[in-house]
């Protein structure tokens, strides 16, 4: 076997393969900075594990728990497996921030014998910050890690840059995104002290750091960092420098992702105007700006203004890139989604179908983007009541994502959610519930219990429980969803408004059927009831919160 560069994916795979072949139990520590690289290592280990007849188990630690709770959780999970390889992640965010990390690490150190002395091989994946702290906080346990490796090769997801992929989306590992963000901010401070110019500070460090947090909807941290550098960002908004055009566009996209539409609108308009003047009205980058402004208008419900922008973006891409280019497929998808939102299903269907055809031909039948198109066409069929046609498309999208991305990937959770929503619409509640539950479990484990996607899953499960007349569970899920949304999203965010409307509709029905005695005395519930008792009906019916690509 040829030697690989130290710290590369191949190097780490080779070293872990030797460890697996030589040892029947023990602990390995791998320090890593890229979640995508970590997943690549596990994928390349699969043939060795299969050859050895070893099953692979993955444990994601819960977030922000008491040290004793984490230790108990880890022991309970490890007790489930009599043999095999166990991959453990989530250490950086596992412990309650109110507890000094040194105290938390001592809990692990004191439980080292029970954790380590098992007929298992365990890989403990740690981000650099946690790994450094662990050297002092749990020295005895650290000495038992053999091998101790450092994965330095960084992979990033392949996706278009600088475009609002409405209504498609991506999801990243929370720890990975946060680590990237704070590493960039640290380098920003160093560059600032060294006298770097504004363009370098913004484009190389600050805006990519903000984008990393926005990728995973880390709104609390995003708000804190934005506030810290408010002066620099305000100066950017007031600048007409052509050199800062890309930075201005990036800032607009960040505001869009946060639901700060009034702040994003003038920035996207300026970006479009400047690109038209400097690049020309038919340049592909101009098409991207048209798409971005259209997506913003669509999110604001300004469909009449969005339509001509999406249409013009599509014309440019077809002419400049070709009718079968993946970016053309994206424009077709986005215009179709707008038509679907407007109820113009007959116009949306051929666009979705053509987008799917391009992606299958250009990217392959099993590509994640193909799964996205399958999902979107299925969503249209669901909206049209063509459930029999929607089901196999949703099922195929789920199959692709499980195979290509993994059974615990957030996009897999999206497919589970969407198929569950179809079953709910068909009255097949018994089939919908386990899919909703699994989607919620994945979101909570992979994105965190306080993530907006987790809140959306709770909302959708609440709707199902309501339909099944399980009122106490429905109320509990609604309250949890609302609590998360209000904690992490900006005030007035559309998702908060939707959960409030859904919960209000649910409570109004409870008043109508005289079942309010089944509800809790929760202050929010009681406040809603008091308000609703003076009103006859709510103007908007309850509805599911959409997944990123539905």
């Amino acid at each position: 076997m040829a030697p690989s560069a130290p710290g590369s994916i191949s190097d780490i795979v080779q070293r872990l393969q030797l460890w697996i072949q030589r040892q029947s139990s023990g602990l390995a520590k791998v320090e890593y900075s890229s979640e995508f690289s970590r997943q690549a290592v596990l994928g390349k280990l699969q043939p060795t594990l299969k050859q050895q007849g070893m099953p692979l188990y993955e444990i994601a630690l819960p977030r922000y728990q008491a040290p004793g709770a984490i230790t108990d959780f880890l022991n309970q999970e490890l007790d489930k497996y009599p043999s095999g390889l166990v991959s453990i992640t989530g250490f950086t965010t596992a412990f309650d921030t109110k507890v000094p990390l040194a105290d938390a690490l001592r809990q692990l150190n004191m439980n080292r014998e029970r954790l380590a002395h098992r007929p298992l091989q365990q890989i403990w994946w740690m981000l650099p910050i946690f790994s450094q702290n662990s050297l002092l906080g749990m020295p005895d346990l650290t000495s038992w890690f053999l091998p101790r490796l450092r994965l330095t090769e960084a992979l990033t997801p392949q996706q278009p840059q600088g475009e609002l992929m409405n209504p498609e989306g991506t999801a990243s590992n929370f720890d990975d995104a946060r680590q990237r963000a704070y590493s960039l901010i640290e380098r920003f401070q160093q560059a600032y002290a060294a006298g770097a110019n504004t363009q370098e500070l913004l484009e190389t460090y600050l805006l990519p750091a903000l984008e990393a947090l926005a990728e995973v909807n880390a709104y609390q941290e995003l708000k804190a960092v934005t506030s810290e550098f408010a002066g620099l960002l305000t100066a950017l908004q007031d600048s007409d420098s052509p050199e800062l055009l890309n930075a201005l566009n990036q800032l607009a996209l960040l505001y869009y992702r946060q639901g700060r539409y009034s702040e994003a609108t003038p920035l996207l308009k300026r970006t479009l105007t400047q690109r038209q003047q400097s690049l020309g009205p038919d340049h592909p980058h101009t098409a991207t700006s048209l798409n971005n402004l259209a997506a913003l208008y669509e999110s604001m419900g300004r469909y009449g203004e969005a339509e001509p922008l999406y249409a013009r973006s599509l014309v440019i891409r077809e002419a400049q890139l070709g009718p079968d280019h993946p970016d053309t497929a994206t424009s077709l998808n986005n215009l179709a989604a707008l038509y679907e939102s407007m109820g113009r299903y007959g116009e949306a269907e051929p666009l979705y179908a053509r987008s799917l055809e391009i992606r299958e031909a250009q990217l392959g039948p099993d590509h994640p983007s193909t799964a996205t198109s399958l999902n979107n066409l299925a969503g249209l069929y669901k909206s049209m009541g063509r459930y029999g046609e929607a089901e196999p498309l949703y099922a195929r999208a789920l199959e692709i994502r499980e195979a290509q991305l993994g059974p615990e990937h957030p996009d897999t959770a999206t497919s589970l959610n969407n198929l569950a929503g179809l079953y709910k619409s068909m009255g097949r509640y018994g089939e919908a519930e386990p899919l909703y539950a699994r989607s919620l479990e994945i979101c909570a484990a992979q994105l965190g219990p306080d993530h907006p996607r987790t809140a959306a899953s709770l909302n959708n499960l609440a709707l199902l429980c309501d339909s099944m007349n399980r009122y106490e569970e429905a109320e509990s899920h609604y309250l949890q969803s609302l609590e998360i949304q209000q904690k992490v999203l900006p005030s007035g965010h559309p998702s908060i408004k939707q959960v409030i409307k859904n919960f209000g509709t649910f409570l109004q029905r409870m008043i109508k059927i005289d079942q309010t005695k089944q509800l809790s005395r929760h202050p929010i519930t009681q406040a809603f009831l008091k308000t609703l008792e003076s009103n006859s009906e709510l103007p908007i019916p309850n509805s599911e919160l959409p997944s990123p690509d539905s």
Side-chain angles (χ1 to χ4, degrees):
M1 182 180 294
S4 301
S8 66
I9 292 172
S10 296
D11 176 54
I12 301 302
V13 170
Q14 291 174 14
R15 293 175 184 274
L16 289 175
Q17 285 173 336
L18 289 173
W19 173 63
I20 290 169
Q21 292 166 356
R22 294 173 178 175
Q23 304 292 329
S24 59
S25 64
L27 303 179
K29 184 182 79 169
V30 182
E31 183 179 307
Y32 74 108
S33 295
S34 168
E35 170 64 13
F36 308 103
S37 299
R38 188 189 74 82
Q39 292 178 6
V41 169
L42 288 179
K44 292 180 180 294
L45 279 177
Q46 291 288 2
T48 297
L49 298 177
K50 186 175 182 180
Q51 184 180 16
Q52 297 285 327
M54 291 180 63
L56 171 64
Y57 307 104
E58 296 196 57
I59 296 176
L61 299 177
R63 295 173 61 200
Y64 306 126
Q65 302 294 310
I70 290 296
T71 304
D72 291 343
F73 172 86
L74 190 50
N75 277 313
Q76 289 168 8
E77 289 297 302
L78 292 172
D79 284 341
K80 297 178 181 178
Y81 311 125
S83 62
L85 178 66
V86 182
S87 171
I88 307 171
T89 57
F91 289 97
T92 305
T93 55
F95 299 105
D96 189 337
T97 55
K98 297 177 184 177
V99 178
L101 183 57
D103 293 343
L105 294 176
R106 289 190 194 98
Q107 282 280 344
L108 288 176
N109 199 55
M110 288 189 294
N111 282 268
R112 58 189 179 277
E113 292 193 5
R114 186 180 174 194
L115 289 168
H117 290 167
R118 298 170 178 273
L120 298 169
Q121 288 175 278
Q122 303 174 44
I123 303 177
W124 289 33
W125 301 88
M126 297 181 185
L127 294 178
I129 291 176
F130 188 91
S131 179
Q132 293 168 16
N133 289 325
S134 71
L135 296 176
L136 296 175
M138 48 184 204
D140 300 308
L141 180 56
T142 297
S143 68
W144 291 357
F145 287 117
L146 292 173
R148 292 188 285 270
L149 308 174
R150 178 174 295 177
L151 174 60
T152 57
E153 181 177 352
L155 295 182
T156 57
Q158 299 299 309
Q159 57 182 309
Q161 296 298 311
E163 177 166 4
L164 301 180
M165 297 296 288
N166 182 51
E168 304 167 56
T170 59
S172 301
N173 176 273
F174 183 90
D175 286 350
D176 184 23
R178 190 169 70 168
Q179 176 70 17
R180 282 186 285 133
Y182 286 109
S183 175
L184 285 164
I185 291 170
E186 181 179 353
R187 291 161 60 194
F188 170 93
Q189 302 285 12
Q190 295 169 352
Y192 179 80
N197 62 49
T198 300
Q199 183 176 353
E200 181 182 358
L201 290 172
L202 285 166
E203 294 189 330
T204 306
Y205 305 110
L206 182 56
L207 290 172
L210 294 172
E211 287 174 339
L213 296 172
E215 277 180 15
V216 293
N217 296 331
Y219 286 108
Q220 294 293 79
E221 294 177 292
L222 185 60
K223 181 179 179 180
V225 176
T226 302
S227 298
E228 183 179 352
F229 298 99
L232 189 59
L233 297 175
T234 300
L236 170 61
Q237 295 178 62
D238 295 337
S239 171
D240 289 322
S241 168
E243 291 76 22
L244 293 176
L245 178 61
N246 289 332
L248 191 71
N249 182 65
Q250 287 175 274
L251 181 61
L253 303 189
L254 283 164
Y255 287 152
Y256 172 89
R257 290 174 180 174
Q258 297 177 68
R260 297 163 63 175
Y261 300 146
S262 62
E263 295 169 84
T265 302
L267 302 186
L268 288 177
K269 285 182 175 180
R270 278 174 56 194
T271 302
L272 173 59
T273 298
Q274 291 185 35
R275 282 181 171 171
Q276 286 175 321
Q277 292 173 349
S278 61
L279 301 174
D282 297 325
H283 193 279
H285 289 344
T286 300
T288 295
S289 282
L290 288 163
N291 176 89
N292 291 351
L293 187 56
L296 176 66
Y297 285 155
E298 181 183 356
S299 297
M300 299 169 73
R302 295 162 61 176
Y303 299 148
E305 295 170 85
E307 183 179 359
L309 301 183
Y310 272 144
R312 188 175 151 207
S313 177
L314 173 60
V315 169
I316 294 171
R317 284 174 167 171
E318 285 184 312
Q320 299 297 321
L321 304 175
D324 297 326
H325 193 278
D327 286 356
T328 300
T330 295
S331 277
L332 288 163
N333 177 85
N334 291 354
L335 184 57
L338 176 69
Y339 288 153
E340 182 180 357
S341 298
M342 299 170 74
R344 294 161 59 178
Y345 300 147
E347 295 170 84
E349 183 176 359
L351 301 185
Y352 271 144
R354 187 176 154 208
S355 177
L356 172 60
E357 182 181 357
I358 293 171
R359 285 172 168 170
E360 285 185 311
Q362 298 298 319
L363 304 175
D366 297 324
H367 193 276
S369 292
T370 301
T372 293
S373 280
L374 287 164
N375 175 85
N376 292 351
L377 184 57
L380 175 68
Y381 288 154
K382 177 189 172 188
S383 298
M384 299 171 73
R386 293 160 60 177
Y387 299 147
E389 294 171 83
E391 184 174 358
L393 300 185
Y394 271 144
R396 186 179 156 205
L398 173 59
E399 181 180 357
I400 292 171
R401 285 171 168 170
E402 286 186 313
Q404 298 298 321
L405 304 175
E408 304 301 322
H409 194 279
D411 287 355
T412 301
T414 294
S415 279
L416 289 163
N417 174 84
N418 293 347
L419 184 57
L422 176 67
Y423 288 155
K424 175 181 174 291
S425 298
M426 299 170 74
R428 294 160 60 176
Y429 300 148
E431 294 171 85
E433 185 172 9
L435 301 186
Y436 271 142
R438 186 178 156 206
S439 177
L440 173 60
E441 182 181 0
I442 293 171
C443 288
Q446 299 299 322
L447 302 175
D450 291 335
H451 195 279
R453 291 272 300 276
T454 303
S457 289
L458 286 163
N459 171 85
N460 297 346
L461 190 56
L463 288 167
L464 178 68
C465 290
D466 184 10
S467 299
M468 299 171 73
N469 297 327
R470 287 157 49 180
Y471 304 130
E472 293 180 11
E473 292 174 74
E475 180 197 7
S476 175
H477 293 322
Y478 276 132
L479 289 172
Q480 290 179 67
S481 179
L482 185 58
E483 180 182 1
I484 294 169
Q485 301 274 21
Q486 291 178 325
K487 181 191 297 185
V488 301
L489 295 178
S491 177
H493 192 280
S495 293
I496 295 177
K497 293 179 180 179
Q498 189 60 64
V499 175
I500 289 174
K501 290 168 184 173
N502 290 353
F503 190 39
T505 301
F506 163 71
L507 293 177
Q508 186 182 56
R509 189 164 78 88
M510 297 296 285
I511 293 172
K512 186 175 181 180
I513 63 176
D514 195 24
Q515 293 293 325
T516 56
K517 291 182 180 179
Q518 293 194 37
L519 301 175
S520 73
R521 302 298 300 174
H522 195 285
I524 293 179
T525 299
Q526 296 306 310
F528 266 74
L529 288 172
K530 186 176 180 180
T531 301
L532 288 169
E533 284 170 352
S534 61
N535 296 286
S536 58
E537 61 179 292
L538 292 171
I540 299 178
N542 53 355
S543 61
E544 291 195 348
L545 288 175
S547 294
D549 63 350
S550 63

